[in-house]
Amino acid sequence: MGYKITCLPGDGIGPEIMAAGMKVLGAVSEKYNFDLQMDTRSFGGAAIDESGKPLPDETLQACQNADAILLAAIGGPKWDNSLERPEVGLLQLRKQLGLYANIRPLRVPDAAVHLSPLKEEIVRGSDFVVVRELTGGLYFGEPKYYDADQATDTLSYQTYEIERIIRKGFQLAQTRKHKLASVDKANVLASSKLWRETAIRIAREFPDVKLEHFYVDAAAMQIITKPTQFDVIVTENLFGDILSDEASVLTGSLGVLPSASYSETGPALYEPIHGSAPDIAGKDEANPLSMIYSISLMLRDFDETEAAEAIDQAANKVMQHGFVTKDLGGSTSLSAFTEKVLSEL
Ligand code: IPM
Ligand code: MG
């Protein structure tokens, strides 16, 4: 089997962690005998510098024609005042590819419980997935504009958009612990009222899954006070953005969390949930795990399960031997960490 993968290294630490991921991917493709056709394209701030646009047409086309897309990270202060922002490219890419379902799994392995800033007894056993709606809500709603006197964003959802993401949540819960937490702000927001009604209606299709509702403020608290109660959390775009960064604290670092984004039919996109960390770019300090785990999510979707498991195990072993990057309180460099993963493989 061969896979056509479009790589978008992007900005900041993006190129470094992408290079680390490529080495790991290359190693497992040899060991488990599958072919890769890698196609690297310019995206984000790097693309603005080259062509004035964060998502050049050729990049979008390469993504549309791929079996999967690997994205590292985009953005940075360099483009804060530029006409185009790198983030716009990411939002366009998500929208153009119809990537409405963003899956952000989070697990704290027993061996890594001590890396969390929270109490071990709270964190131990945490294992849940945030299913974030990715192509609607405040990020895309119109009207959206600002001028000197006022600014407007619009939080709007169509019923079908809520239905399909809620179904994703239920389907995922069926493969796990059969619990779905739907997060909204139905005591205040109209879009959340529709969200909750829709969740209750779709629940009839999934009698084997227990549906619970949380207001987003309460969910934010529960994620760090009682994280083990969660199995699958499904929520709208901005709530999911915020809650998934918050949840990453459980693991000790944003630098370890991968994500996968799915459309109804086209290629999926795999990316770390963190940003481009410009402050440490080029310093060989970044944690490549979010990228490495994103690759392992991709390989699972390709049914290259053995290769995916080999990657996860190799990474866990390196950590168990006490080698972690600076974000997790260690002193192992990005390149040294990657080499250790490669030798475990
Ligand atoms: C994320 C990021 C993006 C988002 C930014 C970079 C636009 O924070 O993927 O979570 O807000 O979706
Ligand atoms: Mg975010």
Side-chain angles (χ1 to χ4, degrees):
M1 262 311 265
Y3 307 104
K4 210 157 79 179
I5 299 168
T6 297
C7 300
L8 310 174
D11 311 316
I13 59 168
E16 295 164 74
I17 60 169
M18 181 64 84
M22 289 302 95
K23 283 188 189 161
V24 171
L25 186 55
V28 290
S29 74
E30 264 175 45
K31 189 165 171 189
Y32 296 94
N33 216 4
F34 53 87
D35 286 332
L36 294 169
Q37 221 180 302
M38 311 299 293
D39 182 13
T40 299
R41 296 287 170 153
S42 118
F43 183 54
I48 295 177
D49 290 349
E50 275 170 36
S51 64
K53 281 163 77 177
L55 176 61
D57 296 343
E58 312 82 72
T59 299
L60 177 61
Q61 263 166 31
C63 291
Q64 281 161 334
N65 294 329
D67 293 319
I69 303 142
L70 281 176
L71 164 61
I74 50 136
K78 181 175 174 196
W79 301 280
D80 274 353
N81 299 313
S82 76
L83 227 52
E84 293 270 7
R85 283 195 68 117
E87 289 81 359
V88 170
L90 181 57
L91 300 189
Q92 283 171 350
L93 184 64
R94 289 173 178 169
K95 196 71 174 175
Q96 292 285 336
L97 295 176
L99 299 167
Y100 72 95
N102 181 223
I103 310 289
R104 300 188 157 184
L106 179 141
R107 207 170 68 81
V108 183
D110 282 349
V113 166
H114 64 285
L115 299 173
S116 176
L118 299 178
K119 291 193 180 105
E120 292 197 10
E121 62 268 28
I122 288 181
V123 168
R124 188 178 301 280
S126 299
D127 180 359
F128 60 87
V129 182
V130 177
V131 176
R132 169 185 173 195
E133 201 291 326
L134 204 58
T135 50
L138 274 172
Y139 277 63
F140 295 97
E142 294 288 346
K144 181 192 251 328
Y145 64 90
Y146 71 94
D147 58 35
D149 305 320
Q150 79 110 30
T152 297
D153 291 289
T154 302
L155 175 41
S156 145
Y157 269 108
Q158 308 279 315
T159 304
Y160 84 91
E161 294 176 292
I162 304 176
E163 285 173 348
R164 64 183 180 179
I165 194 73
I166 296 276
R167 275 202 185 93
K168 271 273 180 212
F170 273 113
Q171 284 158 357
L172 188 59
Q174 282 184 317
T175 68
R176 297 173 46 96
K177 290 174 275 176
H178 298 258
K179 273 175 74 177
L180 182 66
S182 171
V183 173
D184 61 38
K185 187 75 185 171
N187 49 347
V188 178
L189 299 176
S191 59
S192 283
K193 291 188 180 108
L194 182 62
W195 183 280
R196 190 173 286 215
E197 275 168 30
T198 307
I200 292 170
R201 178 162 46 78
I202 301 293
R204 293 189 212 122
E205 298 169 23
F206 300 90
D208 56 330
V209 176
K210 182 167 181 271
L211 172 67
E212 279 185 285
H213 304 277
F214 289 83
Y215 294 136
V216 62
D217 47 354
M221 183 185 70
Q222 297 278 329
I223 281 174
I224 47 168
T225 51
K226 209 172 163 242
T228 53
Q229 72 184 294
F230 293 109
D231 179 21
V232 178
I233 296 174
V234 64
T235 191
E236 69 92 34
N237 203 343
L238 183 65
F239 295 165
D241 179 46
I242 297 169
L243 293 182
S244 57
D245 265 33
E246 187 204 11
S248 77
V249 170
L250 298 168
T251 66
S253 170
L254 193 55
V256 301
L257 291 195
S259 82
S261 303
Y262 302 99
S263 66
E264 295 195 357
T265 51
L269 179 146
Y270 303 84
E271 61 170 322
I273 83 160
H274 60 69
S276 64
D279 50 322
I280 58 164
K283 292 190 180 163
D284 197 26
E285 258 179 34
N287 192 339
L289 275 173
S290 54
M291 194 72 229
I292 291 174
Y293 289 144
S294 295
I295 287 171
S296 130
L297 285 183
M298 176 185 79
L299 292 174
R300 276 175 211 279
D301 287 339
F302 287 160
D303 281 329
E304 299 289 352
T305 317
E306 272 186 315
E309 253 150 43
I311 291 180
D312 292 351
Q313 277 170 22
N316 288 345
K317 268 201 199 134
V318 174
M319 286 202 281
Q320 272 161 27
H321 294 156
F323 299 106
V324 288
T325 43
K326 210 170 168 185
D327 53 316
L328 286 170
S331 59
T332 309
S333 67
L334 188 170
S335 50
F337 188 90
T338 309
E339 285 313 315
K340 287 185 191 298
V341 173
L342 291 172
S343 55
E344 286 295 340
L345 281 170

